[in-house]
Amino acid sequence: MPNTTLKTQWLEASQKWTADLATATYWIDELFTCYQHKNRHYHDLSHIVQILAITETCRELIQCPDSMFFATWFHDAVQKMSVDNEGKSAELAQQALAELAVPQDIIDRTVQLILATKTHDADVANPDVGYFIDCDLSILGADWPDYERYADGCSKEYKVPNFLYRRGRKKFMTQLLQKPQLFQTEYFRAKFETTARENIQREIDLL
């Protein structure tokens, strides 16, 4: 998806409650800067595009599409080693959305979705949390070439020796496979669970 299309989508969504084009433009430019940083190899604009696309497939199941949209854009805005990335990203979202006059309930829901990506645990009080977590992890169930690019991108983002990364990654992915289910919602389990497990096992075998 071209950057111009992404920007048009953002401006349309972010100006629902304000006519302040300058502020809306400022924040999408800031987000582009975050996701186009030279150290981004997976958590980049392609990740945002992928989540926006998969969200559209389950849009009728989502209670608050606005919070899903904003959480998609902000959830990985901060990506630094040894930093509470989710917490910092949530703070950035709060600041931006307040400046855009977004209603507080939508801001609160957006923050909840972002913070949920820290533990990837669903919240029965807000079903959108499960859908957002699953959208974020849907790459696990992608076709192998796309999954392979995801895995390669993750390895490039970690500034540690390769042997340490491979050891840690293998341990993490093995623990992931031990979960009774990878996805929180029935929709995503039916769509991606089997392929995701096959992909993860294949990556483990290659590490």
Side-chain angles (χ1 to χ4, degrees), residues 32-136:
F32 277 167
T33 298
C34 290
Y35 288 105
Q36 292 177 316
H37 190 277
K38 64 180 182 179
N39 292 334
R40 299 293 186 106
H41 301 282
Y42 169 63
H43 297 98
D44 56 12
L45 283 180
S46 65
H47 179 51
I48 302 304
V49 170
Q50 189 256 335
I51 295 180
L52 290 174
I54 201 68
T55 299
E56 282 301 307
T57 71
C58 58
R59 188 177 182 85
E60 71 280 1
L61 302 172
I62 295 169
Q63 292 184 350
C64 184
D66 289 314
S67 64
M68 289 281 285
F69 178 82
F70 291 129
T72 297
W73 269 107
F74 281 99
H75 79 290
D76 285 326
V78 177
Q79 281 288 309
K80 297 180 180 179
M81 297 292 287
S82 303
V83 170
D84 177 12
N85 290 323
E86 295 84 3
K88 294 296 183 182
S89 295
E91 290 176 8
L92 194 66
Q94 284 182 304
Q95 178 187 348
L97 300 183
E99 290 182 10
L100 292 167
V102 174
Q104 190 60 48
D105 64 316
I106 295 178
I107 296 177
D108 292 342
R109 282 174 171 266
T110 301
V111 168
Q112 185 181 22
L113 297 181
I114 294 170
L115 294 178
T117 62
K118 181 183 295 190
T119 60
H120 288 99
D121 291 328
D123 185 336
V124 291
N126 182 1
D128 285 355
V129 171
Y131 285 107
F132 185 65
I133 291 170
D134 285 353
C135 286
D136 189 32

Side-chain angles (χ1 to χ4, degrees), residues 142-149 151 195 198-200 202-203 206:
D143 293 338
W144 176 252
D146 291 332
Y147 181 96
E148 194 172 27
R149 281 191 290 273
T195 302
E198 291 172 351
N199 285 339
I200 293 171
R202 187 172 178 179
E203 181 187 357
L206 291 171

Side-chain angles (χ1 to χ4, degrees), residues 10 23-31 74 92 95-96 99-100:
W10 167 268
T23 299
T25 301
Y26 168 81
W27 280 109
I28 189 58
D29 288 343
E30 285 292 298
L31 289 166
F74 281 99
L92 194 66
Q95 178 187 348
E99 290 182 10
L100 292 167

